[in-house]
Amino acid sequence: MFTVEGDRAGSILGLSIKVIIVTSIIISLFGVYMGILLYGENSLTVLDHLKQEERDLLREAKELKSENQRLQKEFFELKQLAVGEE
């Protein structure tokens, strides 16, 4: 409750208004910082998304290497047949 007596003027629950305002500002700034950390451009969700994308690209690269090997083998086999026919 608000009291207006002597040295307790301007206090709520035994704390000065100044302390309450400063604490509220600090808590608000910390909340904004945590929001940016979790949902901003350099956030944990972006990091998780990039890690998933990296795994997908590595898997795709492995599949493409395998397909490339198969196609090279087929190419050289066809090249051998063409040389044998001449």
Side-chain angles (χ1 to χ4, degrees), residues 3-52:
T3 60
V4 193
E5 298 175 4
D7 57 348
R8 295 190 46 96
S11 66
I12 300 173
L13 299 173
L15 299 172
S16 71
I17 299 295
K18 190 177 189 179
V19 169
I20 292 172
I21 291 173
V22 169
T23 303
S24 298
I25 291 172
I26 290 172
I27 290 171
S28 297
L29 291 174
F30 181 73
V32 168
Y33 172 74
M34 291 302 293
I36 290 171
L37 187 64
L38 292 174
Y39 302 109
E41 280 186 33
N42 299 321
S43 69
L44 295 174
T45 54
V46 172
L47 178 63
D48 186 46
H49 175 73
L50 290 174
K51 285 182 178 180
Q52 179 62 41

Side-chain angles (χ1 to χ4, degrees), residues 36-73:
I36 290 171
L37 187 64
L38 292 174
Y39 302 109
E41 280 186 33
N42 299 321
S43 69
L44 295 174
T45 54
V46 172
L47 178 63
D48 186 46
H49 175 73
L50 290 174
K51 285 182 178 180
Q52 179 62 41
E53 188 175 337
E54 179 185 27
R55 286 190 294 268
D56 293 343
L57 289 172
L58 288 173
R59 186 178 59 245
E60 183 181 356
K62 187 176 178 181
E63 290 170 1
L64 289 172
K65 284 180 184 179
S66 176
E67 182 181 2
N68 187 37
Q69 286 176 342
R70 183 184 59 78
L71 291 172
Q72 280 183 343
K73 180 180 177 186

